Amino acid sequence: MLTKPNPKQGRAPLREGLIAAGQYDALQTAGRFYPVACVALEVTQKCNLDCALCYLSEHSEQAYDIPLVVLFQRIAMVHRQYGDGVTIQITGGDPTLRSIDDLDAICREIRRLNMRSCLMTNGIKATRQFLERLAAAGLDDVAFHVDLTQERKGFDSEDALNEVRKTYIERARGLGLRILFNTTVYERNLSEIPKLCQFFRSQARYLTLVSFQMQAETGRGTAAKRDASLTQDVLAEKIGAGFGVPFHKKIGIGHSECTRYDHLAIAGDRAASVLTDTRLLERVIRALERSDTSGHAVANGPRNMRKALLREPGLLLHLCAGAMKLLWQLKSGLWTSPGRLSRLSVVIHSFMDANSLVPERCDSCVFMVATKDGPLSMCKFNAERDAQLFAPVALQNGTKDTWWSAATGQVTDTPVNARPAPPAFKNMKGRQRAREAHRREHST
């Protein structure tokens, strides 16, 4: 008989990492209410774009797709480690290059184990019909990654790319999916972030979360190292200017040098943060922590909140006063857009350069990758991607193990440490293609 995971025990490693890093204060939610923010399940290394800041390695494209049996093993491993309610990001590469039958099966398996699934895609192949099928299979979220680093033909600004974003919103609307957008921020589009946030504010009724991921020197991308002028504070100012409200960073969802979070209420062209009252936030966190008897704090959040209010009626008065203050801040937006009040989460991610990992940040990571050896910090995984990808993977087959290789796509009776053959020029991407193009140019 399988032993059910203990959610509270599952949070201990993250909590201990945050305590050691001096990041576990009264407003920290990671390790207190959940054991991890999400776990990436890379289902393919193939991609139909060649981004200037791609985090994949120069050899990723040559890796064969991981068999479904291995992916199911990793999904089960995530559940054993973290329990119900964890979000698994179905990612790559671009996962839409995997067969729809495989993705359907993956979504169903994640749902069967009472976890959540999020499709991470550039959207090119994510048609309405494609998303309809995955929604029927249990997909919870779709996160579209759209920005200038992708160098999509015909789009020379983030403002122009809003047409792509609108198209993607229309594809996903009405399917019961939460819609998210990811944007990589670098020198070329930093000045456009305020205007992009105005666009997100205008579409807030359709969106759940927008994420801004700061440039990091990792992977095969051709873009240069992050400019020193691009910091979390600078990006937060740009975001705040676009939404028309300062970016608040009080609530913790992991290490503060990795992630910053704000949650906005939006009405018309007005926005207000719901995270400004520190005293109220601390009271809510304490009350929810006391009410978390089942261990499933996120999934049981509404029920825990009702229990907390019954125990502490004074908290309800404090919440009502905060709500009235929030509505007053939004009054002009509510007047122009009556009855249309939206909520939007805003996240800043600051990933580390591959050659400058900080151990305490890796040990308190909330963004993990499912590997053959268990969950691993995303930044650490990117720094050693080839070693992770091409190590032989054990396939459990009754009492006997066989071994699968991403370099050959073959199953063998003993582990084989193979490396992929050099790719043809047409299959090269990033720096590898740039180097070969330069060599060919100067050898003629």
Side-chain angles (χ1 to χ4, degrees):
M1 182 176 178
L2 292 176
T3 303
K4 289 198 70 174
N6 184 316
K8 287 192 172 183
Q9 288 180 358
R11 299 173 208 166
L14 177 56
R15 182 171 60 250
E16 291 165 4
L18 289 165
I19 291 172
Q23 296 282 318
Y24 197 75
D25 59 19
L27 294 176
Q28 180 63 256
T29 61
R32 177 174 273 122
F33 296 132
Y34 49 89
V36 68
C38 57
V39 181
L41 181 74
E42 296 194 345
V43 302
T44 184
Q45 297 295 306
K46 307 294 189 294
C47 191
N48 44 5
L49 288 174
D50 188 8
C51 301
L53 283 171
C54 182
Y55 57 84
L56 299 180
S57 70
E58 293 184 7
H59 303 291
S60 292
E61 201 83 9
Q62 298 154 258
Y64 283 81
D65 286 350
I66 299 176
L68 266 182
V69 63
V70 176
L71 293 175
F72 276 35
Q73 288 174 10
R74 294 184 182 180
I75 292 168
M77 172 270 297
V78 172
H79 188 255
R80 286 194 303 272
Q81 184 90 7
Y82 299 123
D84 294 352
V86 171
T87 294
I88 293 184
Q89 293 185 343
I90 304 169
T91 184
D94 199 278
T96 59
L97 298 183
R98 188 98 186 202
S99 76
I100 187 68
D101 289 342
D102 283 357
L103 296 179
D104 183 296
I106 289 166
C107 289
R108 291 183 187 278
E109 181 66 6
I110 293 170
R111 174 61 61 88
R112 187 183 73 82
L113 291 175
N114 296 317
M115 296 186 290
R116 305 185 72 262
S117 55
C118 177
L119 182 73
M120 310 290 289
T121 176
N122 58 39
I124 293 172
K125 291 192 65 178
T127 63
R128 176 77 174 187
Q129 184 179 16
F130 189 100
L131 294 174
E132 282 177 343
R133 176 161 175 190
L134 293 188
L139 183 68
D140 294 287
D141 307 336
V142 57
F144 296 111
H145 197 144
V146 181
D147 58 54
L148 281 176
T149 70
Q150 297 168 327
E151 300 179 342
R152 300 181 190 229
K153 292 182 179 179
F155 300 96
D156 59 0
S157 68
E158 296 293 349
D159 191 47
L161 282 168
N162 285 338
E163 290 306 310
V164 176
R165 296 182 177 100
K166 287 179 182 177
T167 298
Y168 289 175
I169 290 171
E170 286 303 310
R171 287 184 193 173
R173 278 181 59 189
L175 297 180
L177 300 173
R178 300 197 316 168
I179 304 174
L180 294 65
F181 274 97
N182 295 325
T183 305
T184 300
V185 182
Y186 67 137
E187 184 180 11
R188 187 178 165 195
N189 67 356
L190 179 60
S191 63
E192 289 197 73
I193 296 303
K195 194 169 183 180
L196 177 57
C197 289
Q198 291 173 17
F199 168 79
F200 287 140
R201 185 180 63 194
S202 74
Q203 303 295 311
R205 62 188 180 277
Y206 309 122
L207 308 180
T208 297
L209 180 146
V210 292
S211 167
F212 298 90
Q213 302 174 356
M214 296 168 62
Q215 174 182 359
E217 193 173 18
T218 186
R220 66 191 179 201
T222 56
K225 185 177 175 66
R226 181 195 301 178
D227 190 274
S229 63
L230 175 54
T231 65
Q232 282 187 319
D233 288 338
V234 168
L235 180 53
E237 288 178 9
K238 298 284 187 182
I239 293 171
F243 282 111
V245 59
F247 187 103
H248 287 273
K249 54 183 181 181
K250 296 178 179 178
I251 287 288
I253 57 171
H255 200 292
S256 60
E257 292 183 24
C258 300
T259 310
R260 293 189 185 181
Y261 174 83
D262 201 359
H263 191 76
L264 305 178
I266 296 175
D269 63 352
R270 299 284 295 179
S273 173
V274 303
L275 305 179
T276 58
D277 188 335
T278 301
R279 181 168 166 265
L280 175 58
L281 292 175
E282 290 181 351
R283 287 188 66 183
V284 168
I285 288 173
R286 286 197 305 270
L288 288 175
E289 193 169 16
R290 287 195 295 268
S291 302
D292 179 26
T293 55
S294 70
H296 298 288
V298 176
N300 295 330
R303 186 177 71 182
N304 288 344
M305 194 67 208
R306 289 193 294 271
K307 288 165 60 178
L309 293 175
L310 287 174
R311 286 198 187 104
E312 194 176 342
L315 177 59
L316 179 60
L317 295 176
H318 200 159
L319 286 169
C320 289
M324 293 302 295
K325 182 179 179 180
L326 192 69
L327 292 173
W328 179 255
Q329 291 176 282
L330 297 171
K331 60 183 184 298
S332 62
L334 291 169
W335 180 260
T336 57
S337 303
R340 183 169 289 171
L341 181 64
S342 306
R343 296 184 299 124
L344 183 64
S345 292
V346 185
V347 181
I348 294 175
H349 289 297
S350 180
F351 294 107
M352 290 180 278
D353 292 342
N355 61 356
S356 57
L357 299 182
V358 179
E360 73 169 32
R361 290 175 63 179
C362 293
D363 293 342
S364 56
C365 184
V366 298
F367 186 7
M368 309 292 276
V369 182
T371 76
K372 67 181 184 66
D373 298 317
L376 184 67
S377 160
M378 172 59 85
C379 289
K380 188 169 174 52
F381 181 83
N382 281 334
E384 51 189 52
R385 178 173 288 271
D386 279 349
Q388 290 287 340
L389 287 182
F390 297 111
V393 178
L395 302 178
Q396 297 165 1
N397 184 19
T399 58
K400 179 183 177 182
D401 278 353
T402 54
W403 301 83
W404 177 81
S405 168
T408 65
Q410 301 297 311
V411 176
T412 56
D413 290 333
T414 56
V416 177
N417 289 299
R419 285 293 180 265
F425 179 67
K426 66 179 181 179
N427 295 327
M428 293 180 181
K429 289 190 175 182
R431 290 192 298 266
Q432 190 180 44
R433 183 177 180 86
R435 284 197 303 268
E436 179 61 16
H438 182 269
R439 187 194 68 77
R440 291 185 175 202
E441 180 183 350
H442 288 82
S443 63
T444 56

